[in-house]
Amino acid sequence: MKDFINVLYRNHALAYKVLLFICTTFLIVYLFPKSGKFKYNFEKGKPWQSENLYAPFNFAIKKTDAEIATEKQEIKDKVPLYFNLDATVKNTVSNNFDRAFKSLFPDTLGVYKLSILKSAGNKIIDKLYHFGVLSDDFTYKPTKKVILLEGRVEKEQTQFGNLTEENELTEIIVKVLEVDNLLAYKNEFTSLFFDLVEPNLIYNKDFSASVLQEELDKVSYTRGSVERETLIISKGEVIEGVKFQILKSLESEYESQVWNKSNYIWIVFAYTLLVALALLMLLLFLQKYRLSVFENNVKVTFIFFNVAFMVLVTTMVVRYNSQYVYVVPICILPLVLKAFFDARLGMFTHVITVLLLGLIVPNSYEYMFLQIIAGIVTILTVSELYKRANLFISVGQITLIYIVAYFAFFVIHEGSIETLQWETFGLFVLCGLATLFVQPLIYVYEKLFGLVSDVSLLELSDTNSKLLKELSNKAPGTFHHSLNVANLAEAAANEIGANAMLVRVGALYHDIGKMKNPTYFTENQSTGINPHDELSPVESASIIVNHVIDGIEIARKNNLPDRVIDFIRTHHGTSVVYYFYMKEKKVNEDLNIEDFMYPGPKPFSKETAILMMCDSVEAASKSLKEPTSTKIDAFVETILNKQMSEEQFLNANITFKEIQSIKKILKRKLTNIYHLRIEYPE
């Protein structure tokens, strides 16, 4: 047991990756839809590509969603509405009318006139309550069937248009009075009946809903059936009409029958194999081509997290409504990975993720084609993510590619553009807008995972930042030297395709350790006094070497990213402080060279190697007297060849060809800096 724990401890990084791999695999499989997959791919209007298909079992032919919706709508139109009728309301209104009539119309009108007016009022009441007065306003069609209930017993059937709504009161009064030539009394009757009329019909919502549901439950979702071994479709036959619906029914029935208790474990196992295989390819890619990323558990976790996150979001959208699957901004994944790593890693991870998503989305081939093409465009168009204009232009190009590719697929499937669903293009526009969320997402990832993107590097390159301001105040010579090194290093990085922004930032901060003892470095000795004159060569070398350690401490206190601290650690590699070493050797032959060596490590990337070259060349160039092009060329060759002979670049993935290109850049830049100028007259 103790031996096992020791082995596990020694290989804890690998054990973590295995655990991460297993957890991510099971998480993605858990998110997948719980159904089998129909083994045939088919599209409406296209020929059947497989062999003759016979029914593997008995199954019912399902109606289309449109057919079912039509049937349900017809039932909703036919099923009557039920209203409770209160017969006592009419009598109450009549009695109230008799009492109000006597007070409204004076006896001076005469008996005959009063009888005519009263008769008109009774006609109005009969007209209003012939079928009944509604208590609320409704929006049903006038032809909608209505059944009036009195004490749960059906009393009468009519149409909704025959019922009286309260807003029709004035219209009915006018019609009755117009027939009897009594329009002169319109205002009196209107004010009277607006106070007297009460509704006697109340909508029985529960009973109406129960009757409707009872009829809807009778709807059949199938029409006919197919017997086992019946020929469904022949090879080359066009899939359309009834054939298409039979195939869709078989697909649905097949998936529902495949996913049952007896083979649940087998299907989960098959899904697990596919997901594990895809994630394994991603790990192998990292191990073979991105070893530095593979060895960093935080970075591996970050990559796997993004893959799982994209699967989670897409799965949630598919479960809600698969029509919105193109709203999910999948292209955020290659954008994020390119911002933190490189284009090749971003593209490979994007393809693996799209392959996984192909298992859960409808029209998987169309989906994967669109997303892979969009991912390629993303990688090719976004070069400098920290420039907002570049991001907007790239998002516009991605959206255009989506629209063009979808249009092409639609024409291939349908053969025309008459039924083109233009709202789908709106989904692609929303996807493009969602892709712009990558900027705040990168910021969140930087804080959560401690990674550094070009956006943060741009902020760090600001010479007005607190730390660089402090450097310019305490060690102005070092600050000026750092600016020169940054310019040289950036030019060299651009020449060989390295990360120019990263190496520039590294150059700006590589000598911040000199702030602790600035006067011990020649570029800051403005008074002509050299404090090294009072120290032994060993003590002087110790102070010079310690500026690397001091720089790391200052960087960590100021929360500089590890990628920037790497430049501080490696910019001298394991080289020797040669001046003090030779000075001590003159008086002491038996000296330890390690006392004069920087602690290292050696540069382990193109960027850190570039900084070492540019730092050494720029610092030593100050000692050139009457520099000429020939002197500068020999000077650069001597310094870089010495570093190569000391194997300082052994761990950096930089080639001889790239070093030669860097030499050319440094020679040209230094020649421009130290070119002779004409002598101005006094």
Side-chain angles (χ1 to χ4, degrees):
M1 183 64 181
K2 185 177 180 181
D3 293 338
F4 173 76
I5 293 175
N6 290 335
V7 172
L8 188 64
Y9 179 77
R10 287 196 301 270
N11 298 279
H12 67 279
L14 181 60
Y16 174 82
K17 291 181 183 67
V18 172
L19 181 62
L20 177 67
F21 172 80
I22 294 172
C23 292
T24 307
T25 300
F26 281 107
L27 174 62
I28 293 176
V29 171
Y30 174 78
L31 294 172
F32 276 3
K34 302 300 185 289
S35 64
K37 275 283 186 181
F38 191 51
K39 58 183 176 181
Y40 299 104
N41 292 317
F42 60 91
E43 297 176 12
K44 188 177 182 180
K46 294 293 180 181
W48 179 255
Q49 300 293 334
S50 305
E51 298 297 327
N52 295 353
L53 177 62
Y54 295 88
F57 42 75
N58 299 337
F59 65 94
I61 304 173
K62 295 185 176 181
K63 296 178 182 177
T64 64
D65 293 339
E67 290 174 331
I68 294 172
T70 301
E71 288 187 25
K72 288 185 175 182
Q73 188 59 48
E74 290 175 354
I75 291 173
K76 290 177 181 178
D77 293 338
K78 291 180 180 178
V79 170
L81 302 172
Y82 290 85
F83 287 86
N84 294 328
L85 173 64
D86 187 352
T88 63
V89 173
K90 181 179 179 182
N91 295 330
T92 302
V93 172
S94 296
N95 294 332
N96 292 337
F97 170 71
D98 290 339
R99 288 192 293 270
F101 182 82
K102 294 178 182 179
S103 60
L104 181 63
F105 296 100
D107 295 338
T108 55
L109 291 175
V111 175
Y112 177 72
K113 191 68 172 180
L114 289 173
S115 64
I116 292 175
L117 291 171
K118 189 168 185 179
S119 175
N122 289 326
K123 288 179 183 179
I124 293 172
I125 294 174
D126 291 338
K127 184 73 173 176
L128 289 171
Y129 290 98
H130 179 69
F131 291 103
V133 178
L134 294 169
S135 60
D136 296 304
D137 292 332
F138 298 93
T139 57
Y140 296 110
K141 295 180 180 178
T143 56
K144 179 72 173 175
K145 185 179 179 182
V146 170
I147 294 179
L148 305 181
L149 301 175
E150 188 174 355
R152 292 186 174 273
V153 177
E154 181 179 331
K155 181 180 180 182
E156 192 171 1
Q157 292 188 13
T158 184
Q159 292 183 337
F160 182 78
N162 294 329
L163 306 182
T164 303
E165 296 183 273
E166 290 185 343
N167 57 11
E168 297 175 348
L169 177 59
T170 303
E171 181 183 350
I172 293 173
I173 292 173
V174 170
K175 285 182 179 179
V176 173
L177 295 179
E178 190 176 21
V179 173
D180 295 337
N181 294 319
L182 297 172
L183 283 176
Y185 297 95
K186 172 189 170 185
N187 293 336
E188 288 82 351
F189 276 100
T190 300
S191 61
L192 175 63
F193 279 104
F194 263 103
D195 293 333
L196 294 179
V197 172
E198 296 180 7
N200 66 336
L201 293 179
I202 299 176
Y203 178 50
N204 194 329
K205 184 177 180 181
D206 293 337
F207 189 68
S208 299
S210 64
V211 173
L212 175 60
Q213 188 59 47
E214 185 177 343
E215 293 299 318
L216 290 176
D217 291 340
K218 296 178 182 178
V219 173
S220 174
Y221 289 83
T222 62
R223 56 172 182 203
S225 62
V226 177
E227 299 293 326
R228 183 179 180 183
E229 300 299 332
T230 301
L231 176 64
I232 296 177
I233 194 167
S234 304
K235 184 175 182 179
E237 188 176 351
V238 178
I239 306 168
E240 56 186 359
V242 177
K243 294 287 185 182
F244 177 74
Q245 197 55 37
I246 292 175
L247 286 171
K248 293 297 290 183
S249 301
L250 176 60
E251 180 183 33
S252 176
E253 189 67 23
Y254 178 85
E255 292 179 354
S256 63
Q257 288 195 18
V258 166
W259 194 262
N260 54 50
K261 292 182 180 179
S262 63
N263 50 24
Y264 175 89
I265 296 176
W266 281 109
I267 293 179
V268 170
F269 177 70
Y271 270 135
T272 304
L273 282 180
L274 291 176
V275 175
L277 190 62
L279 295 180
L280 182 62
M281 294 304 102
L282 181 56
L283 277 178
L284 291 177
F285 172 84
L286 294 176
Q287 185 185 36
K288 186 171 181 64
Y289 297 106
R290 298 293 182 272
L291 187 59
S292 61
V293 176
F294 179 80
E295 292 175 346
N296 190 318
N297 283 340
V298 174
K299 293 180 179 179
V300 176
T301 303
F302 173 73
I303 295 171
F304 274 60
F305 170 80
N306 275 277
V307 173
F309 181 70
M310 283 300 168
V311 174
L312 170 64
V313 174
T314 306
T315 303
M316 292 173 63
V317 172
V318 169
R319 288 179 180 177
Y320 174 72
N321 190 336
S322 61
Q323 293 181 348
Y324 299 130
V325 69
Y326 286 112
V327 176
V328 181
I330 301 297
C331 289
I332 279 184
L333 180 61
L335 278 174
V336 168
L337 295 181
K338 185 179 180 181
F340 288 115
F341 304 109
D342 60 86
R344 190 175 177 187
L345 174 57
M347 190 66 234
F348 191 89
T349 308
H350 176 71
V351 171
I352 291 293
T353 306
V354 171
L355 290 176
L356 290 174
L357 295 177
L359 297 172
I360 62 174
V361 298
N363 300 322
S364 56
Y365 174 76
E366 175 185 323
Y367 177 85
M368 290 190 292
F369 184 90
L370 259 67
Q371 296 295 3
I372 290 176
I373 291 295
I376 293 172
V377 172
T378 302
I379 293 297
L380 294 178
T381 57
V382 180
S383 55
E384 296 171 319
L385 192 59
Y386 56 87
K387 293 183 179 179
R388 289 172 294 181
N390 286 1
L391 180 60
F392 279 99
I393 293 171
S394 179
V395 167
Q397 292 171 332
I398 294 167
T399 305
L400 180 63
I401 290 296
Y402 272 130
I403 292 174
V404 171
Y406 175 79
F407 175 81
F409 270 111
F410 187 89
V411 173
I412 291 172
H413 291 164
E414 302 296 331
S416 69
I417 61 171
E418 294 177 359
T419 57
L420 185 63
Q421 298 176 341
W422 297 100
E423 59 269 19
T424 306
F425 295 154
L427 299 181
F428 292 132
V429 173
L430 289 176
C431 178
L433 294 176
T435 305
L436 296 175
F437 186 69
V438 69
Q439 286 282 19
L441 187 63
I442 287 175
Y443 177 79
V444 172
Y445 280 155
E446 286 178 336
K447 300 305 178 185
L448 288 178
F449 293 92
L451 301 173
V452 183
S453 68
D454 285 349
V455 179
S456 292
L457 292 177
L458 181 64
E459 294 174 356
L460 290 171
S461 65
D462 183 9
T463 54
N464 288 316
S465 65
K466 179 182 176 182
L467 189 55
L468 291 181
K469 275 284 188 182
E470 185 180 356
L471 177 63
S472 66
N473 291 330
K474 291 184 177 180
T478 299
F479 178 73
H480 185 260
H481 159 72
S482 297
L483 288 177
N484 291 337
V485 174
N487 293 330
L488 292 174
E490 185 176 15
N494 284 324
E495 182 69 18
I496 67 170
N499 190 331
M501 180 63 70
L502 177 62
V503 76
R504 178 176 181 82
V505 173
L508 289 173
Y509 290 92
H510 78 283
D511 269 345
I512 56 174
K514 292 182 179 180
M515 287 193 294
K516 191 170 183 179
N517 297 298
T519 56
Y520 285 87
F521 300 91
T522 54
E523 66 266 26
N524 300 311
Q525 295 171 359
S526 57
T527 60
I529 300 174
N530 189 348
H532 287 288
D533 294 339
E534 300 177 2
L535 301 175
S536 67
V538 175
E539 292 173 328
S540 295
S542 176
I543 293 174
I544 299 298
V545 168
N546 282 339
H547 89 272
V548 173
I549 308 299
D550 296 334
I552 294 173
E553 291 178 357
I554 294 172
R556 294 203 184 281
K557 287 179 181 178
N558 287 271
N559 297 317
L560 290 185
D562 288 338
R563 290 178 73 185
V564 177
I565 295 176
D566 288 340
F567 287 91
I568 301 174
R569 294 167 56 216
T570 61
H571 74 277
H572 284 295
T574 56
S575 60
V576 177
V577 185
Y578 197 71
Y579 174 81
F580 291 110
Y581 172 72
M582 294 304 296
K583 186 177 180 181
E584 177 68 14
K585 195 172 183 180
K586 290 178 181 178
V587 296
N588 182 13
E589 289 289 338
D590 190 22
L591 76 168
N592 186 0
I593 194 172
E594 292 183 358
D595 294 336
F596 297 86
M597 288 178 60
Y598 286 96
K602 296 177 180 179
F604 46 78
S605 66
K606 288 182 182 180
E607 289 77 15
T608 51
I610 289 171
L611 178 61
M612 171 180 271
M613 299 180 204
C614 296
D615 180 46
S616 301
V617 168
E618 203 284 331
S621 66
K622 298 294 194 302
S623 62
L624 282 177
K625 297 178 180 178
E626 298 181 0
T628 63
S629 177
T630 305
K631 283 185 178 181
I632 289 173
D633 289 356
F635 164 76
V636 171
E637 289 287 346
T638 301
I639 290 180
L640 297 195
N641 288 340
K642 184 174 184 297
Q643 290 177 339
M644 291 172 64
S645 66
E646 293 176 353
E647 298 183 341
Q648 294 296 331
F649 309 133
L650 192 63
N651 298 330
N653 57 336
I654 192 167
T655 64
F656 285 112
K657 183 178 180 180
E658 289 170 336
I659 293 176
Q660 289 302 118
S661 299
I662 293 171
K663 286 181 180 179
K664 291 179 182 178
I665 287 293
L666 294 178
K667 291 173 184 176
R668 187 171 72 244
K669 287 285 184 180
L670 290 174
T671 301
N672 291 336
I673 293 172
Y674 293 108
H675 71 281
L676 295 176
R677 298 182 180 179
I678 60 172
E679 185 175 346
Y680 289 94
E682 296 182 1

